[in-house]
Amino acid sequence: MTQWKWQTASCLRSTEPIPEKFGKCCRVAISPLIWRIPILVWAMSILSWSVAFFWGPLGMFFLYMTHWGLLLIVIESVFGIIVTVKKSRTNYMDATFGLPWYVKTYWVLYNVTIPVAFLITVFYWGILKTSGKMEKYAPNPVLDVMLHGGNSVAMLVELLLSAHPSRLMHIFQPLLFALAYLLFTVVYYFAGGHDPWGNAFIYPVIDWSKPQQTAVVVTLTALFLALMHLVVVAVAATRDAISRRFRNTTGIYNDGFGDES
């Protein structure tokens, strides 16, 4: 029985990263709290600022992907802090030799939040802003930059300093999140929903009264989100390779394109 448990533990360890990685910095012996707490404070401040300067009824605040992404940063940061604090107090390998639920939750949030933040930035400045129909969506230019640029900067910091891996196989996680938002826009449209100015859409480029045009935008957006996940995996792999080289040890290595940790 003991031998069977040891074999099971070895198998699980070969397919999951060491739990302590989630509460470490990839380069130096500093606590992730040094960047995760400021990111949480920043995200909560921008969220409050966004509510105060929202251009429509507050009941419509979460119609927009931007605000979904900002809330994701808040939740991801909270779980990142929990994981870090737990690591400093105990070895959080659970009874099945797998990752505890709060570590798994953080990892999923991390996998979703970072590529979604990059998508929001590029989608907003590259598509929505160039459409010439977004002036009324940005009553405060500083807040506009924080929402659609600061989000990516914050998540880039998280990506560059964290020590745990990003895996290619997790590409379905950000795509499922995007699908959830897409289904929300469809249901909202067919339920007779409208934006704060009475238009039968949330974003002018995602207008379900023009299904062919919208289908093209949605498809290209999904492909770009998938590309952003690949970029995250590549950056994480490069980050860990550089970290391992400079430390000249058998330290942390991100095999994002395989199953080994």
Side-chain angles (χ1 to χ4, degrees), residues 2 29 57 85 97 200 210 231 259:
T2 302
V85 172
F97 299 96
K210 304 173 182 177
V231 169
D259 292 331

Side-chain angles (χ1 to χ4, degrees), residues 8-70:
T8 303
S10 298
C11 179
L12 285 169
R13 287 193 185 102
S14 69
T15 58
E16 292 187 334
I18 301 171
E20 285 73 17
K21 288 183 181 181
F22 293 86
K24 288 183 176 180
C25 175
C26 69
R27 289 294 302 275
V28 294
I30 61 173
S31 169
L33 295 178
I34 290 178
W35 72 84
R36 288 177 182 167
I37 289 177
I39 287 176
L40 175 61
V41 172
W42 173 86
M44 292 183 67
S45 300
I46 298 303
L47 186 63
S48 300
W49 191 4
S50 300
V51 170
F53 279 84
F54 184 57
W55 49 82
L58 288 182
M60 294 184 174
F61 184 80
F62 282 111
L63 290 181
Y64 298 94
M65 172 68 87
T66 296
H67 299 147
W68 284 37
L70 188 58

Side-chain angles (χ1 to χ4, degrees), residues 7-261:
Q7 290 173 344
T8 303
S10 298
C11 179
L12 285 169
R13 287 193 185 102
S14 69
T15 58
E16 292 187 334
I18 301 171
E20 285 73 17
K21 288 183 181 181
F22 293 86
K24 288 183 176 180
C25 175
C26 69
R27 289 294 302 275
V28 294
I30 61 173
S31 169
L33 295 178
I34 290 178
W35 72 84
R36 288 177 182 167
I37 289 177
I39 287 176
L40 175 61
V41 172
W42 173 86
M44 292 183 67
S45 300
I46 298 303
L47 186 63
S48 300
W49 191 4
S50 300
V51 170
F53 279 84
F54 184 57
W55 49 82
L58 288 182
M60 294 184 174
F61 184 80
F62 282 111
L63 290 181
Y64 298 94
M65 172 68 87
T66 296
H67 299 147
W68 284 37
L70 188 58
L71 183 61
L72 270 179
I73 294 176
V74 171
I75 300 173
E76 189 266 356
S77 298
V78 168
F79 273 91
I81 291 169
I82 291 172
V83 167
T84 305
V85 172
K86 286 278 190 178
K87 172 195 169 295
S88 66
R89 294 181 178 179
T90 182
N91 179 354
Y92 47 41
M93 185 79 78
D94 69 13
T96 64
F97 299 96
L99 299 176
W101 69 269
Y102 51 88
V103 177
K104 293 177 181 177
T105 301
Y106 166 70
W107 199 8
V108 171
L109 289 167
Y110 175 95
N111 291 335
V112 172
T113 305
I114 296 177
V116 166
F118 296 164
L119 170 68
I120 288 171
T121 296
V122 175
F123 186 83
Y124 183 78
W125 297 106
I127 298 178
L128 295 179
K129 271 292 189 179
T130 57
S131 70
K133 301 177 181 179
M134 297 300 294
E135 288 80 6
K136 55 189 176 183
Y137 291 83
N140 186 300
V142 177
L143 178 59
D144 194 29
V145 172
M146 290 295 100
L147 282 171
H148 306 104
N151 60 333
S152 288
V153 172
M155 288 298 94
L156 183 61
V157 170
E158 172 81 326
L159 172 61
L160 292 177
L161 295 181
S162 295
H164 55 277
S166 295
R167 296 271 174 76
L168 181 62
M169 63 183 292
H170 292 154
I171 192 170
F172 69 92
Q173 293 173 356
L175 290 176
L176 284 177
F177 173 80
L179 178 61
Y181 182 77
L182 178 65
L183 292 176
F184 166 73
T185 66
V186 173
V187 171
Y188 190 75
Y189 170 76
F190 284 103
H194 54 81
D195 73 355
W197 299 277
N199 300 305
F201 52 72
I202 298 175
Y203 291 108
V205 295
I206 304 179
D207 183 354
W208 290 108
S209 66
K210 304 173 182 177
Q212 291 183 336
Q213 172 185 307
T214 299
V216 171
V217 173
V218 167
T219 300
L220 292 176
T221 301
L223 291 173
F224 186 79
L225 181 58
L227 175 61
M228 288 299 95
H229 179 78
L230 297 180
V231 169
V232 169
V233 172
V235 170
T238 303
R239 169 202 73 194
D240 294 338
I242 293 173
S243 176
R244 191 181 186 190
R245 180 180 180 85
F246 274 88
R247 289 160 66 172
N248 195 29
T249 67
T250 57
I252 298 164
Y253 177 68
N254 177 55
D255 184 11
F257 298 93
D259 292 331
E260 296 297 322
S261 60

